[in-house]
Amino acid sequence: MAATAMQANVEWRQNMEFVATVGSGHEVSMDGSKQTAASPMELVLAAAGGCSSVDVVSILEKTRQQVTGVRCEVSGERADATPAVFTKIHLHFIVTGTDVNPTHVERAVKLSADKYCSVAKMLEASVELTHDFRIEPA
């Protein structure tokens, strides 16, 4: 199987502000001082939540669940030493809908964590990743 190449270019703007332009042409602002944009480490959390959320929504749609919303609250703990890498990341999914089956949500979250989410699979080599969910009526 051939590898898929991806790329991003990061350009310094001013102070600790940078703009990343990714291969699809989209831009993402970053700020190492967290004053004007998310920090690169905050974007790692967002990437984990985004990647897993895509999987969860896709799987729930395939099981014809009446989902009206999915939110992923991601929290992370970082080491006290330099580099301050993440040591723990927790993804908490809040699924909103009508008659949503908890078994389907549990399966979707588990499949994302164990099989589909590329970001989570990459991080799990060095980070303790945990997941849970809650279902709320629409």
Side-chain angles (χ1 to χ4, degrees):
M1 179 166 34
T4 302
M6 296 181 79
Q7 76 168 45
N9 296 309
V10 179
E11 185 175 336
W12 177 46
R13 296 302 172 139
Q14 63 184 4
N15 302 318
M16 287 292 113
E17 298 171 27
F18 299 82
V19 173
T21 305
V22 297
S24 60
H26 297 285
E27 291 186 347
V28 177
S29 296
M30 297 178 281
D31 185 347
S33 64
K34 300 187 218 176
Q35 293 178 3
T36 62
S39 73
M41 290 300 281
E42 288 171 322
L43 291 175
V44 170
L45 292 180
C51 182
S52 291
S53 293
V54 167
D55 297 335
V56 168
V57 168
S58 175
I59 293 165
L60 291 175
E61 283 182 343
K62 287 176 184 165
T63 59
R64 295 181 165 50
Q65 295 300 294
Q66 296 178 49
V67 174
T68 57
V70 173
R71 185 171 76 245
C72 184
E73 297 174 348
V74 187
S75 57
E77 292 181 23
R78 295 176 69 182
D80 288 333
T82 301
V85 298
F86 284 112
T87 56
K88 295 179 182 181
I89 294 176
H90 181 74
L91 290 88
H92 176 67
F93 291 91
I94 296 111
V95 177
T96 307
T98 305
D99 299 323
V100 176
N101 185 327
T103 302
H104 285 297
V105 177
E106 182 176 22
R107 180 178 171 270
V109 169
K110 184 167 177 35
L111 280 171
S112 176
D114 295 344
K115 185 174 183 180
Y116 294 117
C117 178
S118 304
V119 176
K121 295 306 286 179
M122 191 171 46
L123 290 171
E124 75 180 9
S126 60
V127 178
E128 178 187 327
L129 283 171
T130 55
H131 305 75
D132 67 5
F133 68 91
R134 180 175 80 238
I135 298 172
E136 296 180 347

